[in-house]
Amino acid sequence: MNKLIILSTQAVPEGRVFGLDAQTLIQIGFQLFNGIVLAAVLTYLLYKPVKEFMEKRSDRIQNSRDEAEETMAKATALIAEYETKITEIEKERTEILEAARVEANDQRKVILKEAVQEADKMKQQSLAKIAGDKERLKEESRLHIIELSSVIAGKYLAENLDDKAQADYFEDMIAQLEESSWIS
């Protein structure tokens, strides 16, 4: 590297660091002309394809953004629709539960009413059975009292009366008992 520095300093005339002579100006002019021609040729050859590529890329990006916005709008609409449906379902659930409560309360009242009616019916049947049993017992008691009275009367008459008087008296008493009504 030191040699390169030494060679570059030897080529420059003495007293000048940078030589601005005609040769240097001509070289600068050619390089500038080559740069301008190269830029013009590259612009002519590459401008349209690069511009089309950039436009297509911008269109793709814009389409992607538009699709994303459409998808977002659809998603927002779906969310709103689902929230509406959820609200409707919640209302319907509340109505169904309330209807079930009312129906259960009505059924409870019907069952309670039927139970009360059944209890009243059983009470009436029991009262009727008790009244029937009471009448039956009265009749049985009356028959037992008649039978017992005849046995007692028979024993009394057997001890105190003769056979003929006893038979007449017995017949008379039986007739009176049959004719008399039973008093409760």
Side-chain angles (χ1 to χ4, degrees):
M1 181 135 105
N2 284 337
K3 288 184 181 185
L4 182 63
I5 294 173
I6 293 174
L7 285 175
S8 62
T9 56
Q10 287 177 355
V12 176
E14 205 171 303
R16 290 182 8 182
V17 176
F18 178 66
L20 209 55
D21 55 357
Q23 181 73 28
T24 305
L25 290 178
I26 292 173
Q27 283 180 349
I28 290 175
F30 275 124
Q31 285 180 356
L32 219 97
F33 178 74
N34 282 340
I36 291 171
V37 169
L38 181 63
V41 169
L42 287 177
T43 300
Y44 179 76
L45 291 177
L46 296 178
Y47 181 74
K48 282 186 181 180
V50 169
K51 184 179 178 183
E52 288 175 3
F53 172 76
M54 293 303 280
E55 285 176 358
K56 287 180 183 177
R57 184 169 182 239
S58 295
D59 289 343
R60 278 194 314 254
I61 291 171
Q62 188 61 38
N63 287 341
S64 295
R65 290 182 76 186
D66 292 343
E67 287 177 8
E69 288 175 6
E70 287 177 24
T71 305
M72 194 66 162
K74 286 179 184 177
T76 305
L78 267 172
I79 288 171
E81 182 181 340
Y82 286 142
E83 287 176 353
T84 303
K85 285 182 181 180
I86 287 171
T87 304
E88 290 173 5
I89 288 170
E90 196 65 32
K91 287 179 185 176
E92 186 177 335
R93 182 186 69 89
T94 304
E95 290 172 0
I96 289 171
L97 285 175
E98 188 60 33
R101 282 188 198 111
V102 168
E103 185 177 340
N105 194 26
D106 291 345
Q107 285 180 354
R108 182 187 61 85
K109 287 178 182 177
V110 167
I111 290 171
L112 186 62
K113 185 177 179 181
E114 288 175 358
V116 167
Q117 288 174 348
E118 186 68 26
D120 286 344
K121 184 179 175 183
M122 290 173 70
K123 181 180 176 183
Q124 292 300 325
Q125 287 175 348
S126 296
L127 289 175
K129 184 177 178 184
I130 289 171
D133 287 347
K134 189 176 181 181
E135 287 299 318
R136 186 180 50 82
L137 285 174
K138 275 183 182 179
E139 184 62 29
E140 286 178 6
S141 297
R142 187 176 75 82
L143 291 176
H144 284 304
I145 289 172
I146 290 173
E147 187 179 324
L148 188 59
S149 295
S150 27
V151 168
I152 290 174
K155 282 186 180 182
Y156 176 75
L157 289 175
E159 291 176 5
N160 294 331
L161 297 174
D162 63 354
D163 284 339
K164 178 159 176 29
Q166 186 179 10
D168 289 339
Y169 187 73
F170 182 73
E171 289 292 325
D172 187 39
M173 287 304 281
I174 294 277
Q176 283 180 7
L177 282 176
E178 287 177 356
E179 289 175 7
S180 70
S181 62
W182 179 258
I183 299 172
S184 52

